[in-house]
Amino acid sequence: MPDERPWSRAFAEIVALPDEAIDLAQASLLIAREEYPDLRVGDYLERIDRMADAVRARLRGGEGFTSLVAHVNRLLFDDLGFRGNREEYYDPRNSFLNDVLDRRVGIPISLSTVYIEVGRRVGLKVAGVSFPGHFLVRYMGREARSEVLIDPFNRGMLLTESECRRRIDDLFQGRVPFRKEFLKRARKREILERMLLNLKLIYQRRRDYHRALRIQQLLVDARPDRPAAIRERGLLYERLACFGQAAGDLRTYLRAAPAAPDADAVRSRLRAISRLVPVMN
């Protein structure tokens, strides 16, 4: 039988690569194929290439990072009109890179992905930052005298560390102290996992457990060594009354993490599910 989801296998192969070899845009577009199976990934990669070409056409050579940031910002936010989608923040289309490129709206992590990919192509050394509650981009070049953070959700605004501290204070009302780790570079695999978690939570809020399960499968593909991903897939199988698959995943989880803090609760759930399997079959 042919593979009905070949992009899932392709996604697993990409995220298994060393982090520096992962093509963030390609992997993000393979995630989008969960919703758009006929998506032409190459067409969207070419579109990002053309955006970078448009930036390069404006460069005279020898630009520093401030000038490069200004050129990327001008193209994305002034010329092309990319913006943060504040009105429909939890629309799943904000998380699919093809939709973000088509509609030119997104959430912090998807707009940051566009920014990183265009920036990389024009020599701007940037990486993602899993800042709490609001994904950012960090400049990684040596000539930066201090932390330089870029906020693509807010038209490429430059942020200092002190401004990020104030954001943490506002977000958590002073209950969570700022830590330097909040500004740590996010590896590409971490960015993809955060994208997937965002999507899964959106679908769970909508009680769309079929779509949530497909996204959870990609999370398992991204981190097959993480037992919790298999446990979460099992719980979604249970939601869909696929009790045989649910029991299998929960058994796998308990074999891998028999002393986990939730192991007893999972064993209890597994016993209840196992009683249902013969009935459902």
Side-chain angles (χ1 to χ4, degrees):
M1 179 181 294
D3 188 348
E4 295 180 357
R5 298 169 65 249
W7 59 87
S8 178
R9 177 164 45 83
F11 178 81
E13 290 171 354
I14 288 177
V15 295
L17 295 170
D19 203 77
E20 62 274 11
I22 293 175
D23 187 318
L24 181 61
Q26 183 181 10
S28 300
L29 288 163
L30 288 172
I31 290 173
R33 290 194 75 179
E34 285 295 338
E35 187 65 24
Y36 305 102
D38 298 324
L39 182 87
R40 296 170 66 92
V41 170
D43 290 352
Y44 285 92
L45 293 176
E46 288 177 7
R47 188 181 302 185
I48 296 172
D49 289 341
R50 290 196 298 272
M51 290 160 62
D53 289 342
V55 174
R56 269 194 297 269
R58 304 174 184 186
L59 304 180
R60 298 180 179 179
E63 282 88 355
F65 80 91
T66 303
S67 179
L68 281 173
V69 166
H71 280 297
V72 173
N73 283 358
R74 190 170 299 119
L75 176 83
L76 293 180
F77 307 116
D78 294 338
D79 298 349
L80 298 181
F82 280 88
R83 64 179 178 83
N85 192 346
R86 302 174 189 278
E87 298 81 15
E88 296 178 303
Y89 193 88
Y90 295 104
D91 186 329
R93 291 177 296 178
N94 293 327
S95 295
F96 293 127
L97 188 57
N98 61 309
D99 279 323
V100 174
L101 291 169
D102 286 340
R103 302 169 69 230
R104 299 181 184 179
V105 295
I107 54 176
I109 194 167
S110 57
L111 292 173
S112 292
T113 297
V114 174
Y115 203 101
I116 290 167
E117 288 298 296
V118 173
R120 177 177 67 81
R121 286 164 168 76
V122 300
L124 184 60
K125 299 175 182 178
V126 287
V129 174
S130 288
F131 192 73
H134 193 100
F135 203 87
L136 297 171
V137 170
R138 175 182 170 187
Y139 177 69
M140 304 295 292
R142 294 180 180 177
E143 67 268 38
R145 296 178 181 177
S146 60
E147 300 283 4
V148 178
L149 286 304
I150 304 165
D151 184 357
F153 189 78
N154 289 297
R155 296 179 55 83
M157 176 191 300
L158 296 182
L159 300 171
T160 63
E161 181 178 317
S162 61
E163 288 167 326
C164 291
R165 287 176 180 271
R166 285 196 292 273
R167 286 193 175 195
I168 291 294
D169 288 340
D170 291 342
L171 180 63
F172 296 106
Q173 298 180 339
R175 294 190 299 270
V176 175
F178 177 85
R179 300 198 301 272
K180 288 287 287 186
E181 303 92 87
F182 291 161
L183 304 182
K184 182 181 176 182
R185 172 188 178 183
R187 299 293 178 181
K188 295 174 187 175
R189 190 175 293 104
E190 295 168 353
I191 296 173
L192 295 166
E193 288 180 27
R194 184 158 166 170
M195 285 181 183
L196 291 168
L197 285 170
N198 285 344
L199 269 171
K200 187 182 80 162
L201 289 172
I202 288 169
Y203 288 140
Q204 286 180 315
R205 286 193 187 105
R206 296 179 171 203
R207 299 182 183 276
D208 188 344
Y209 298 116
H210 286 93
R211 282 187 168 88
L213 177 61
R214 296 206 306 265
I215 297 302
Q216 185 62 40
Q217 179 58 54
L218 292 179
L219 281 163
V220 173
D221 294 338
R223 289 297 300 269
D225 59 330
R226 183 175 290 174
I230 296 173
R231 177 199 62 206
E232 290 302 306
R233 185 177 65 184
L235 296 177
L236 284 167
Y237 273 130
E238 181 188 7
R239 284 276 191 179
L240 293 168
C242 299
F243 297 117
Q245 294 94 324
D249 274 353
L250 297 186
R251 289 191 189 99
T252 299
Y253 171 69
L254 290 171
R255 283 195 297 269
D262 66 345
D264 286 342
V266 172
R267 289 188 187 97
S268 176
R269 199 155 194 167
L270 176 58
R271 285 193 294 270
I273 292 172
S274 297
R275 286 195 291 270
L276 293 171
V277 174
V279 175
M280 298 304 295
N281 287 344

